[in-house]
Every structure is written in C-alpha cells, then in structure tokens.
Amino acid sequence: MMLDRYRWKIVSVGLLTVCAAAVGCNLSANRQNSVGRKAYESGQTSQAIAVFQRALTMDPQNSDAYYNLASSYYQLGKQSQNQQWIAQSEQLFRQSIALDDNNVDAHRALAVLLIETNREKDAFELVENW
C-alpha cells in the first residue's frame, strides 16, 4: 500500500512537470509570435521568419505561428517573385488550417493566395468547404 502511494506521487509529479513544460512552451511560442509580428509589421520580414520558426520549434502545434510564417514567406515571395516561397507559404497556410480549422486569417490568406496565383476555382472551393 505504501509503495502504491509512493508511485502515485512520482507519477503525479511527472505529470505536473510535463503539463508545466507544455504550458511554458506555449507561452514562449506565443511570446515569439508577438515579437515576430512586430518585426513583420516593421518590414523586417527575414527577421520575422526566424522568430516564427523559433515559435514552431517551441510549439509545433501552434496554428498562429504557421499562419505568421506563411504570411512572411508569401510577402517575400511576392516582392521577389519567388515561386518557391509562394508555394511554401501555401503549404504553411494549409498546415495552419489543418491544426485549427477555425483560423479565419489562415483561410482568408490562403484564399487570397489562390486568387493571386490564378486559381480562383480552388479559392472558391476552399471558402465553400469551410
């Protein structure tokens, strides 16, 4: 009986540690998202990309970080007419949506990307199916 209580305490402490770490990572990722958005808004797109990538390293399930990273790549892709960056941004928008189907910004941005890349039908289907 005493051994069972001891095991329970060890398991409980372990679970609390994992939960605290997960919450801490999420808070750190959210903080990185905020820093990245400020860099993006001030025109420092390359710096913003690095920050959003750090956010995803901290929290790979962060839909907002995928959206922000996608927006940054799309901005650079349009400015430099780099089709690889535009294609990468599309994949990242889709990843954001896969993680959070209610991410309105990601849906809207992906629809705009599809329209601007002459895929109006795909944009319509995206919005219609959402």
Side-chain angles (χ1 to χ4, degrees):
M1 182 80 158
M2 185 64 133
L3 188 56
D4 287 337
R5 287 183 188 169
Y6 179 72
R7 284 186 200 160
W8 174 248
K9 285 182 182 180
I10 290 174
V11 170
S12 296
V13 169
L15 288 173
L16 286 174
T17 302
V18 169
C19 288
V23 169
C25 288
N26 192 19
L27 290 175
S28 295
N30 289 338
R31 191 172 20 254
Q32 291 296 310
N33 265 327
S34 179
V35 169
R37 278 192 304 272
K38 288 178 184 172
Y40 179 85
E41 290 167 1
S42 67
Q44 301 170 341
T45 311
S46 295
Q47 180 182 353
I49 287 173
V51 175
F52 295 137
Q53 287 172 332
R54 275 197 306 271
L56 285 171
T57 299
M58 293 174 184
D59 182 7
Q61 302 300 310
N62 191 311
S63 175
D64 290 334
Y66 278 103
Y67 163 76
N68 290 327
L69 185 59
S71 296
S72 299
Y73 274 116
Y74 190 56
Q75 181 69 25
L76 280 181
K78 285 185 355 181
Q79 287 174 348
S80 64
Q81 296 181 339
N82 184 320
Q83 295 305 311
Q84 287 180 318
W85 284 344
I86 292 172
Q88 185 169 358
S89 67
E90 180 178 345
Q91 291 174 348
L92 293 165
F93 283 133
R94 291 185 186 281
Q95 181 66 32
S96 175
I97 292 167
L99 290 169
D100 179 6
D101 191 46
N102 292 318
N103 190 326
V104 175
D105 293 330
H107 278 277
R108 184 179 323 128
L110 179 55
V112 168
L113 180 151
L114 293 170
I115 289 168
E116 290 181 352
T117 55
N118 300 316
R119 295 182 284 162
E120 292 84 5
K121 182 180 176 195
D122 293 338
F124 180 76
E125 287 175 7
L126 172 74
V127 173
E128 185 177 60
N129 293 330
W130 181 43

